[in-house]
């Protein structure tokens, strides 16, 4: 295939605007998938994707299209997620593309993630083709949607809007034609030294690390001796191939192609997404710029249930290779033992990783309360202490002041739910920065503490707006905040894994709510166990977890009160000393803390 007949493109859209359905129609019309193999949302093959109905992981497919001009074109389609938590996956896909289809639902119009993904495409200097989907739906407003799209960019002013129904296939042929007539062919020279972008990767138990590559220059053959330029890691291409949509071995990849390389590397840390793959014999002079590393916004601890630490270690290493925006490092807890401190792009990203650990590796993990990163300025120390784990929060007597991360949250909503959305943002300590109209929608810019939106703000926003509001966030620096660390003491023993950081004004209420929730989820013992929420050395709330049965010393026998009290004291001391370090915490205990953050 000549390079001028190759097109590399992605589909970008807000969540649930029909992106995966359009991908199915493209594969049908190019006969990439047979009728027997065809199924709805074929590329969403992860269990969590099917369960939630969203795309989590980018996928790549090569399609061969017989165009109306009589020529055959190679369409390398790179799938992208639509949820705000997976924007990093979108940026990786766009870096390997030359154009993008901007898909907008005619029943919902332009939404926040539509705008965010369009900006990513423009930053990558991609040719964008606007497409209006679901035109056959009863609630479709095609004209209004077209006006909203034209308002996004002056370049769309004279653009013909493609109108389709991805569900029925109506108008999809026009999209297929527009891809080769509008999106430019890749620029590259097959005679130059090999320069390939590693835009994704996957771990295979038998083949090791499989790198997903886009060749910018040069050519690639099986058994070529290669190296990763960032780490100088030598690699032998034991197998190369394309995605159709499963891996299919090929004899050669050339400039402009998208495919895979079986590296044989077994160490998940040996390959980094965004690296440049080149030949050892004739290396390219300069590496590709790659990607900015993703910034984790939410942190939580993962601990194995039972004696499965090594299994959890292998699982998180492979997941980190498969998901470049998931970060981890080892940590230990007095109550839970050895585990990992993990970084996520959002609370939905955390939920997806937990479910993938369960579905793909058969592991159930204890998850501590999520938190964000604080800058703690300690007295008589110049540099601030970066704290992403409440366990490491310094004692209050050493703290001078604390800075918390702020977010600029752009909320797009309907005028009917405007007051409820503004009330919700105010309850989460939001400060209104700007309000403007975008067609029939209202766009609000709020500055909020990131801790207030990192947990369940998005779900609450969907609830108050009946599903119509959308949210996009970006980090807006740090500012001084009056926050305190809430410690939980069970049976007078501090359980570090249950600690969390909140604003001081919220601490009393959250302390009361927490201990009353823990009363019903902490496993009972033979003696009553006090549960306390402690802030700066003072207990703000306390309840007693009831014993399994009544105390034997208080069985109604005739004896003096003083002797009964003495027996109770001796029995209580003995039992508490025996149980002091024997506190077992099921996931329900941590869920009680998670519920507080919502």
């Amino acid at each position: 295939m000549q390079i001028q007949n190759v097109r590399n493109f992605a589909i970008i859209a807000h969540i649930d605007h029909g992106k995966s359905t359009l991908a199915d129609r493209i594969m049908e019309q190019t006969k990439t998938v047979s009728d027997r193999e065809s199924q709805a949302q074929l590329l969403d093959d992860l269990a969590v994707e099917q369960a939630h109905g969203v795309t989590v992981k980018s996928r790549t497919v090569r399609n061969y299209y017989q165009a109306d001009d009589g020529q055959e074109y190679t369409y390398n389609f790179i799938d992208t997620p639509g949820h705000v938590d997976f924007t990093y996956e979108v940026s990786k896909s766009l870096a390997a593309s030359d154009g993008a289809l901007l898909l907008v639902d005619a029943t919902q119009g332009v939404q926040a993630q539509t705008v965010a993904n369009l900006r990513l495409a423009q930053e990558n200097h991609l040719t964008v083709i606007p497409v209006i989907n679901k035109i056959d739906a009863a609630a479709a407003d095609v004209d209004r949607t077209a006006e909203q799209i034209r308002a996004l960019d002056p370049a769309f002013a004279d653009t013909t809007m493609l109108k389709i129904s991805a569900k029925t296939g109506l108008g999809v042929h026009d999209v297929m034609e527009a891809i080769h007539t509008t999106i430019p062919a890749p620029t590259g020279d097959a005679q130059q030294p090999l320069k390939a972008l590693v835009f994704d990767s996957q771990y295979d138990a038998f083949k090791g690390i499989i790198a997903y590559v886009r060749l910018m220059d040069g050519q690639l053959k099986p058994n070529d001796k290669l190296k990763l330029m960032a780490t100088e890691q030598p690699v032998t291409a034991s197998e190369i191939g394309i995605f159709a949509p499963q891996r299919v071995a090929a004899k050669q990849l050339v400039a402009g192609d998208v495919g895979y390389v079986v590296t044989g590397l077994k160490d998940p840390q040996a390959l980094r997404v965004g690296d440049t793959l080149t030949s050892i014999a004739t290396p390219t002079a300069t590496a590709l710029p790659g990607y900015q590393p993703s910034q984790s916004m939410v942190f939580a601890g993962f601990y194995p249930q039972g004696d499965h630490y090594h299994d959890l270690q292998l699982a998180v290493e492979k997941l980190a290779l498969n998901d470049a925006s998931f970060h981890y490092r080892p940590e230990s807890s007095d109550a839970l033992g050895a585990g990992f401190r993990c970084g996520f792009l959002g609370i939905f990203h955390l939920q997806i990783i937990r479910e993938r650990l369960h579905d793909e590796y058969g592991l159930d993990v204890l998850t501590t309360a999520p938190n964000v990163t604080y800058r703690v300025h300690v007295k008589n120390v110049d540099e601030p202490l970066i704290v992403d784990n409440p366990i490491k929060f310094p004692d209050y007597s050493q703290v001078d002041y604390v800075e918390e991360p702020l977010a600029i949250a752009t909320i797009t909503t309907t005028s009917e739910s405007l007051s409820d959305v503004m009330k919700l943002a105010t309850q989460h300590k939001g400060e209104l920065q700007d309000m403007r109209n975008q067609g029939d929608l209202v766009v609000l810019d709020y500055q909020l503490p990131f801790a207030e939106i990192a947990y369940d703000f998005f779900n609450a926003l969907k609830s108050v707006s009946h599903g119509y509001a959308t949210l996009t966030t970006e980090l807006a620096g740090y500012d001084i905040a009056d926050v305190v660390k809430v410690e939980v003491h069970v049976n007078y023993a501090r359980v570090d894994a249950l600690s969390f950081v909140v604003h001081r004004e919220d601490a009393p209420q959250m302390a009361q709510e927490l201990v009353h929730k823990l009363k019903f989820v902490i496993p009972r013992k033979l003696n009553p166990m006090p549960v306390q929420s402690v802030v700066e050395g003072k207990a703000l709330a306390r309840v007693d977890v009831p014993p399994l049965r009544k105390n034997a010393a208080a069985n109604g026998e005739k004896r003096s009160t003083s002797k009964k009290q003495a027996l109770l004291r001796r029995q209580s001391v003995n039992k508490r000393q025996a149980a002091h370090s024997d506190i077992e915490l099921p996931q329900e205990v941590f869920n009680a803390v998670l519920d507080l953050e919502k």
Side-chain angles (χ1 to χ4, degrees):
M1 182 70 67
Q2 298 293 322
I3 191 171
Q4 59 264 27
N5 281 20
V6 176
R7 298 294 184 271
N8 299 319
F9 68 98
I11 302 178
I12 52 178
H14 187 81
I15 187 171
D16 201 30
H17 276 209
K19 175 174 48 57
S20 297
T21 308
L22 177 57
D24 292 344
R25 298 293 85 76
I26 290 175
M27 288 187 287
E28 280 181 11
Q29 295 209 3
T30 55
K31 295 181 172 55
T32 302
V33 180
S34 66
D35 293 339
R36 183 173 62 85
E37 297 171 320
S38 180
Q39 65 182 54
Q41 297 187 339
L42 180 64
L43 296 183
D44 293 343
D45 58 351
L46 294 178
V48 291
E49 293 178 321
Q50 296 166 2
H52 292 279
V54 300
T55 302
V56 169
K57 193 79 186 77
S58 296
R59 288 288 303 276
T60 304
V61 185
R62 174 177 287 195
N63 308 275
Y64 296 101
Y65 176 63
Q66 196 68 38
D68 291 350
D69 61 6
Q71 299 188 54
E72 186 180 64
Y73 291 87
T74 298
Y75 285 179
N76 290 315
F77 163 56
I78 304 174
D79 193 20
T80 64
H83 194 279
V84 65
D85 275 12
F86 301 100
T87 302
Y88 192 67
E89 286 286 319
V90 179
S91 67
K92 293 190 305 178
S93 298
L94 296 181
S97 304
D98 299 305
L101 303 178
L102 179 66
L103 194 66
V104 182
D105 186 340
T107 65
Q108 300 184 45
V110 170
Q111 299 202 348
Q113 208 55 27
T114 310
V115 180
N117 289 339
L118 174 62
R119 289 173 184 162
L120 286 175
Q122 292 171 334
E123 289 171 5
N124 284 274
H125 308 291
L126 302 186
T127 300
V128 179
I129 301 174
V131 181
I132 301 176
N133 190 24
K134 303 185 185 180
I135 61 172
D136 56 343
D141 191 341
V142 178
D143 293 336
R144 181 176 66 88
T145 304
E147 291 176 4
Q148 291 177 348
I149 295 175
R150 288 193 170 93
L152 294 177
D153 191 337
F156 294 153
D158 301 322
T159 301
T160 301
M161 298 290 166
L162 299 177
K163 303 176 179 65
I164 69 167
S165 170
K167 185 176 182 179
T168 64
L170 175 67
V172 174
H173 179 74
D174 294 335
V175 175
M176 303 295 289
E177 286 295 309
I179 291 171
H180 74 82
T181 58
T182 308
I183 295 175
T187 57
D189 187 350
Q191 306 307 316
Q192 292 293 320
L194 175 65
K195 181 188 289 187
L197 171 69
V198 179
F199 68 89
D200 210 343
S201 59
Q202 182 183 2
Y203 189 89
D204 186 277
F206 301 101
K207 297 182 178 181
I209 297 175
I210 301 174
Y212 295 12
V213 295
R214 155 76 192 272
L215 271 67
M216 302 299 181
D217 289 312
Q219 49 189 300
L220 185 57
K221 295 180 180 179
N223 300 317
D224 280 355
K225 302 297 182 184
L226 311 172
K227 70 173 180 179
L228 295 161
M229 296 187 71
T231 59
E232 295 293 325
Q233 172 71 46
V235 171
T236 299
S238 57
E239 177 186 322
I240 65 172
I242 62 170
F243 300 96
Q246 305 306 321
R247 294 195 299 270
V248 177
K251 296 181 179 179
Q252 184 179 15
L253 295 175
V254 298
D257 282 345
V258 175
Y260 69 88
V261 178
V262 176
T263 65
L265 298 172
K266 294 295 185 180
D267 180 9
Q269 305 296 327
L271 182 141
R272 192 182 70 192
V273 171
D275 207 343
T276 302
L277 197 63
T278 190
S279 171
I280 291 180
T282 56
T284 184
T286 56
L288 295 163
Y291 311 115
Q292 290 288 333
S294 64
Q295 297 293 321
S296 297
M297 296 301 180
V298 176
F299 296 86
F302 278 2
Y303 294 89
Q305 292 190 5
D307 189 20
H308 298 291
Y309 175 80
H310 184 63
D311 295 336
L312 179 59
Q313 181 182 18
L314 293 176
V316 296
E317 286 177 351
K318 294 171 184 176
L319 277 180
L321 181 71
N322 196 238
D323 183 350
S325 53
F326 169 58
H327 303 290
Y328 70 95
R329 68 169 186 269
E331 74 167 6
S332 61
S333 162
D334 292 341
L336 302 177
F340 295 93
R341 194 72 186 168
C342 303
F344 311 90
L345 297 178
I347 198 68
F348 185 59
H349 189 200
L350 184 156
Q351 180 183 350
I352 291 296
I353 293 294
R354 277 183 64 182
E355 292 185 21
R356 290 187 68 183
L357 285 172
H358 174 79
D359 296 339
E360 299 174 28
Y361 301 97
L363 292 173
D364 290 314
V365 294
L366 291 171
T367 307
T368 63
N371 67 281
V372 297
T373 304
Y374 294 93
R375 290 179 180 171
V376 183
H377 293 260
V378 181
K379 296 175 182 177
N380 303 320
V381 177
D382 294 333
E383 292 295 322
L385 182 65
I386 306 300
V387 177
D388 59 16
N389 187 343
I391 297 173
K392 298 180 180 179
F393 206 88
D395 187 80
Y396 67 95
S397 62
Q398 302 173 354
V399 175
D400 189 7
Y401 63 95
V402 180
E403 292 179 300
E404 69 174 351
L406 299 177
I408 293 295
T410 302
I411 303 171
T412 307
T413 185
T414 58
S415 56
E416 291 81 5
S417 58
L418 177 61
S419 60
D420 291 333
V421 170
M422 294 183 71
K423 182 179 179 180
L424 176 69
T426 303
Q427 289 172 347
H428 286 76
K429 302 178 178 61
E431 296 180 3
L432 182 64
Q433 305 291 307
D434 189 21
M435 179 190 298
R436 58 192 181 277
N437 291 324
Q438 189 177 73
D440 297 336
L441 302 176
V442 181
V443 181
L444 306 168
D445 289 336
Y446 271 94
Q447 179 175 284
L448 303 98
F450 215 100
E452 291 290 328
I453 62 173
Y455 304 106
D456 207 45
F457 182 79
F458 184 67
N459 288 344
L461 180 65
K462 284 288 188 182
S463 177
V464 300
S465 65
H466 308 291
Y468 285 103
T470 57
L471 171 72
T472 180
T473 59
E474 60 182 54
L475 190 63
Y478 285 75
D479 195 13
I480 296 176
D482 188 10
V483 296
V484 293
K485 175 183 177 182
V486 178
E487 297 177 348
V488 177
H489 293 192
V490 179
N491 209 23
Y492 301 110
R494 186 178 66 186
V495 183
D496 53 5
L498 292 177
S499 301
F500 58 96
V501 178
V502 297
H503 289 85
R504 186 183 299 274
E505 63 186 273
D506 297 331
Q509 179 183 352
M510 295 184 71
Q512 290 285 349
E513 291 179 6
L514 177 60
V515 295
H516 284 90
K517 286 177 180 290
L518 293 178
K519 176 180 179 179
F520 300 102
V521 294
I522 289 180
R524 296 182 179 185
K525 294 187 179 295
L526 293 177
N527 60 291
M529 289 192 301
V531 178
Q532 297 171 296
S533 292
V534 179
V535 174
E536 296 183 345
K538 299 177 181 177
L540 295 187
R542 166 181 168 151
V543 297
D544 285 342
V545 177
L548 284 171
R549 59 180 174 79
K550 289 187 176 181
N551 198 295
N555 60 359
E557 291 183 9
K558 297 290 185 180
R559 62 177 74 194
S560 68
T561 302
S562 60
K563 287 185 178 181
K564 184 185 293 185
Q565 294 297 328
L567 180 58
L568 282 170
R569 283 194 296 271
R570 289 197 302 273
Q571 188 182 53
S572 178
V573 169
N574 291 338
K575 287 180 178 178
R576 283 174 179 164
Q577 285 179 346
H580 192 79
S581 60
D582 186 27
I583 302 171
E584 296 181 2
L585 300 176
Q587 182 60 47
E588 288 76 10
V589 175
F590 297 96
N591 289 343
V593 183
L594 291 174
D595 289 340
L596 285 178
E597 310 293 351
K598 294 183 178 180

